[in-house]
């Protein structure tokens, strides 16, 4: 097969070498840069393209890819909302993602952020940096088995999160439009309204759709407990950032663990020498003591990255040999 890989990281280079050792006849080229209108010519003459990026790929990007011979686009990630899937289908390009590379990687990261905030580590760390090693009453925390944890979205990742919290002794409730009886041993199914009102920790694991954009905003924060923790590792656009900042500042909720943010494609993956050039909302969130953030790295474990890489390459191989991709999304 002939494939061109965009946005290859140093970690992925090792997995690429492993793949090529196992498939010596494959013709594979790559770049560290994401796929953009400025470099799509690199893929000319290749049958497939693989990329992992938040930057959008529109019809004007996909048409020349197809004209250059690309038949398959393999995403080394779950989300495909940055791809114009209708245009891809129109130009004869199949698109596949990797939805099940390691659900536990993301679920564990969410649990870590929730526990960090629950046990007030951010507050203690700031105090200790100033030489204050006391334990004030307002920083007394609680234990996870006394918490009600609400999981929004009960796919592979949400299900893994529910099992983890259940194993730690928490009361777990969940909301998902699709009922899954196999999760009954780990949680109670409730409606969304009940979940946000009763949960001490709300952990979000749903895909972004036009219908659920901004589903956590002023109205929802007002209904949540004033010490509730919001954990978002799905898509930044599920949360109204401005409303979240207000809720955090005025103690309408207790804290937020965020691996994703609105407009992150312009920020995450870059290094800023002048932090003053960051958008105001990023600066505000970073400086709040009841917030912990990471740059869309919940998935970033050795196992997950390898699985994403190998699954995407397998789907390229299947598609170009006339078989159906395991994880076709258009």
């Amino acid at each position: 097969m002939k494939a061109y890989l965009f946005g290859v990281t140093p970690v992925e280079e090792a997995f690429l070498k492993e793949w090529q050792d196992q498939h010596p006849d494959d013709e594979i080229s790559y770049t560290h840069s994401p796929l953009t209108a400025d470099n799509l010519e690199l893929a000319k003459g290749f049958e497939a393209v693989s990329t992992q990026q938040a930057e959008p790929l529109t019809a004007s990007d996909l048409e020349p890819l197809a004209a250059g011979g690309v038949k398959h686009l393999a995403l080394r990630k779950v989300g495909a909302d940055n791809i114009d899937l209708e245009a891809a289908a129109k130009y004869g390009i199949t698109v596949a993602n990797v939805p099940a590379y390691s659900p536990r990687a993301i679920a564990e990261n969410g649990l870590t952020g929730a526990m960090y905030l629950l046990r007030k580590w951010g507050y203690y760390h700031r105090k200790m940096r100033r030489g204050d090693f006391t334990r004030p009453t307002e920083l007394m925390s609680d234990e996870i088995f006394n918490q009600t944890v609400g999981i929004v979205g009960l796919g592979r990742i949400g299900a893994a999160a529910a099992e983890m919290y259940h194993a730690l002794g928490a009361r777990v409730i969940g909301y998902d439009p699709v009922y899954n009886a196999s999760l009954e041993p780990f949680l109670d199914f409730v409606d969304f309204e009940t979940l946000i009102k009763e949960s001490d920790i709300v952990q979000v694991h749903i895909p972004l759709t036009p219908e659920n954009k901004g589903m956590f905003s002023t109205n929802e924060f007002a209904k949540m407990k004033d010490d509730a923790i919001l954990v978002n590792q799905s898509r930044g656009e599920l949360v109204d950032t401005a409303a979240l900042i207000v809720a955090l500042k005025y103690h309408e909720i207790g804290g937020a663990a965020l691996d994703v943010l609105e407009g992150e494609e312009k920020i995450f993956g870059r290094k800023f020498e002048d932090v003053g050039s960051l958008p105001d909302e990023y600066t505000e969130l970073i400086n709040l003591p009841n917030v912990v953030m990471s740059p869309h790295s919940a998935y970033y474990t050795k196992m997950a990255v390898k699985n994403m890489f190998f699954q995407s390459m397998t789907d390229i191989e299947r598609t170009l040999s006339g078989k159906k991709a395991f994880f076709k999304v258009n």
Side-chain angles (χ1 to χ4, degrees):
M1 70 179 186
K2 294 180 65 176
Y4 198 95
L5 281 55
F6 289 86
V8 175
T9 67
V11 172
E12 288 179 314
E13 284 182 301
F15 301 138
L16 173 57
K17 183 180 184 305
E18 186 177 339
W19 176 273
Q20 289 188 302
D21 288 344
Q22 297 172 14
H23 303 81
D25 295 331
D26 289 352
E27 182 181 337
I28 300 173
S29 296
Y30 70 94
T31 178
H32 297 297
S33 301
L35 174 57
T36 67
D38 296 328
N39 65 6
L40 56 81
E41 279 292 316
L42 293 172
K44 189 173 183 179
F46 288 86
E47 302 168 284
V49 159
S50 176
T51 186
Q52 180 192 136
Q53 63 188 74
E55 292 85 356
L57 292 178
T58 65
S60 60
D61 301 317
L62 297 166
E63 183 178 15
L65 283 177
V70 172
K71 302 173 184 175
H72 181 74
L73 172 60
L75 303 175
R76 303 192 304 278
K77 63 182 189 120
V78 177
D81 47 280
N82 59 323
I83 313 297
D84 188 332
L85 297 178
E86 290 185 6
K90 175 183 175 181
Y91 298 126
I93 299 175
T94 60
V95 182
N97 67 346
V98 282
Y101 51 86
S102 180
R104 290 187 64 90
I106 297 176
E108 285 180 6
N109 189 271
L111 171 62
T112 301
M115 290 295 291
Y116 178 93
L117 292 169
L118 180 65
R119 298 306 298 266
K120 316 289 188 184
W121 272 37
Y123 288 95
Y124 279 118
H125 184 70
R126 284 169 170 80
K127 278 167 42 61
M128 292 169 70
R129 288 180 64 182
R130 298 192 300 268
D132 183 351
F133 292 79
T134 61
R135 293 184 294 270
T137 303
E138 64 269 19
L139 292 189
M140 182 178 288
S141 58
D142 208 336
E143 298 168 40
I144 192 68
F145 82 93
N146 284 327
Q147 305 295 291
T148 294
V149 180
I151 310 294
V152 181
L154 296 169
R156 296 179 181 90
I157 300 171
E163 291 182 29
M164 290 178 190
Y165 281 109
H166 174 78
L168 291 172
R171 174 198 176 212
V172 185
I173 57 178
Y175 165 75
D176 195 296
V178 179
Y179 187 81
N180 183 349
S182 68
L183 296 179
E184 289 178 355
F186 309 108
L187 58 83
D188 295 319
F189 283 86
V190 297
D191 58 62
F192 181 67
E193 190 91 354
T194 299
L195 186 144
I196 61 174
K197 288 181 177 179
E198 295 188 6
S199 297
D200 300 294
I201 298 168
V202 176
Q203 191 154 315
V204 187
H205 294 297
I206 58 173
L208 176 67
T209 67
E211 293 74 25
N212 63 25
K213 183 177 181 179
M215 69 181 297
F216 285 91
S217 192
T218 303
N219 183 55
E220 288 70 34
F221 295 135
K223 294 177 181 178
M224 291 170 65
K225 296 181 179 181
D226 59 11
D227 59 352
I229 294 168
L230 175 68
V231 181
N232 184 17
Q233 300 184 302
S234 295
R235 286 293 178 268
E237 287 75 12
L238 294 168
V239 178
D240 181 333
T241 305
L244 173 63
I245 292 171
V246 171
L248 290 165
K249 280 184 172 181
Y250 294 96
H251 307 290
E252 293 179 0
I253 65 172
L258 308 171
D259 187 55
V260 291
L261 283 171
E262 288 183 284
E264 67 179 55
E265 64 277 2
K266 299 176 183 177
I267 306 295
F268 289 175
R270 298 177 57 193
K271 184 175 181 180
F272 291 82
E273 299 298 335
D274 177 17
V275 294
S277 62
L278 286 169
D280 291 343
E281 61 269 24
Y282 283 74
T283 304
E284 287 195 81
L285 285 168
I286 289 169
N287 288 318
L288 287 172
N290 53 347
V291 173
V292 58
M293 292 172 59
S294 53
H296 208 141
S297 58
Y299 76 95
Y300 201 53
T301 67
K302 294 176 182 178
M303 176 181 289
V305 174
K306 180 176 181 177
N307 287 347
M308 283 192 290
F309 189 89
F310 270 72
Q311 286 176 17
S312 68
M313 297 300 288
T314 298
D315 262 357
I316 291 175
E317 190 175 54
R318 288 180 61 82
T319 301
L320 298 184
S321 64
K323 300 177 182 178
K324 185 177 179 181
F326 283 122
F327 305 113
K328 185 172 179 288
V329 295
N330 73 332

